[in-house]
């Protein structure tokens, strides 16, 4: 039951983007088309899950063992950067069209504060072992991807709507993101 609560809480209640406000750059930047948003969500799921596993092990067995916890942030950033490079190489070989569609946003996963934030939250949350931390990271990444895809769908629909000239583009995107965050707050009584 505890695992289910971790999943539901990370995806809906404490959504990384809509509740914790981490990863807003790709949230607004990649969310113009559903296909691109889904690809970005998939890349983030992979990077966030693997990064959390690696950073958890580094934190527990190296940083804490050698009493160098102050190196946590820089170590985690280096691990995330290496993983993003790995994803970039894989995407270039496997799906060149998705690689082209993501463009500059794929290297920006390196500086996506959602990935770093979840890795830090996973090691700092009391009572989280490796399995719970991994589950938390995967669910958080799925929540990130879900928010990204929903927002992209809403933005595609908004492009077809008759919106006043002063609200087109970024202003209506911010209003829509706020309404989406309010909608996700409705899940707060679940977990």
């Amino acid at each position: 039951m505890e695992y289910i609560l971790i999943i539901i809480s990370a995806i809906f209640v404490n959504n990384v983007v809509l509740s914790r406000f981490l990863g807003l750059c790709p949230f607004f930047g990649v969310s113009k088309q559903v296909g691109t948003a889904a690809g970005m969500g998939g890349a983030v799921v992979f990077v966030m899950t693997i990064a959390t596993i690696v950073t958890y092990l580094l934190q527990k067995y190296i940083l804490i063992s050698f009493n160098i916890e102050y190196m946590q942030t820089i170590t985690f950033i280096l691990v995330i950067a290496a993983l993003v490079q790995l994803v970039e190489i894989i995407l270039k070989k496997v799906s060149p069209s998705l690689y082209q569609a993501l463009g500059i946003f794929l290297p920006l996963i390196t500086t996506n504060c959602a990935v770093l934030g979840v890795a830090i939250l996973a090691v700092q949350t009391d009572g989280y072992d490796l399995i719970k931390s991994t589950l938390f990271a995967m669910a958080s990444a799925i929540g990130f991807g879900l928010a990204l895809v929903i927002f992209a769908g809403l933005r595609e629909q908004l492009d077809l709507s008759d919106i006043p000239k002063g609200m087109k583009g970024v202003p209506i995107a911010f209003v829509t993101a706020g309404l989406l965050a309010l909608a996700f707050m409705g899940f707060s009584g679940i977990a």
Side-chain angles (χ1 to χ4, degrees):
M1 187 64 169
E2 187 176 356
Y3 295 131
I4 293 170
L5 287 176
I6 290 171
I7 292 169
I8 291 172
S9 176
I11 293 174
F12 298 110
V13 180
N14 295 317
N15 187 286
V16 175
V17 178
L18 302 173
S19 292
R20 297 185 190 265
F21 307 113
L22 296 172
L24 291 176
C25 291
F27 181 69
F28 284 104
V30 183
S31 63
K32 292 180 181 157
Q33 296 177 340
V34 173
T36 308
M40 180 67 156
V44 169
V45 168
F46 177 77
V47 170
M48 197 178 285
T49 304
I50 301 301
T52 299
I53 293 169
V54 173
T55 55
Y56 182 90
L57 294 172
L58 282 171
Q59 176 79 10
K60 184 169 174 91
Y61 295 111
I62 294 177
L63 298 178
I64 292 175
S65 297
F66 291 107
N67 199 24
I68 53 172
E69 292 96 345
Y70 59 88
M71 296 289 293
Q72 178 187 56
T73 304
I74 191 71
T75 304
F76 286 15
I77 289 172
L78 290 173
V79 167
I80 292 165
L83 287 171
V84 168
Q85 290 299 314
L86 179 67
V87 169
E88 191 171 0
I89 291 168
I90 291 170
L91 274 181
K92 192 184 272 187
K93 298 276 186 198
V94 174
S95 178
S97 60
L98 180 58
Y99 175 77
Q100 288 294 336
L102 290 175
I104 189 68
F105 295 106
L106 187 58
L108 288 179
I109 293 177
T110 305
T111 58
N112 184 348
C113 58
V115 178
L116 179 61
V118 167
I120 290 173
L121 286 170
V123 298
Q124 290 181 346
T125 303
D126 291 333
Y128 274 15
D129 57 4
L130 180 61
I131 294 170
K132 289 178 185 173
S133 294
T134 304
L135 196 60
F136 169 72
M138 190 180 314
S140 294
I142 290 169
F144 178 86
L146 177 68
L148 202 62
V149 169
I150 290 171
F151 190 57
L154 290 171
R155 286 183 77 176
E156 282 184 358
Q157 189 65 35
L158 286 171
D159 287 342
L160 302 173
S161 301
D162 186 28
I163 299 170
K165 186 178 179 182
M167 288 297 291
K168 285 190 184 221
V170 176
I172 196 69
F174 281 139
V175 170
T176 305
L179 292 172
L180 187 59
L182 286 172
F184 269 67
M185 281 181 62
F187 294 114
S188 62
I190 293 176

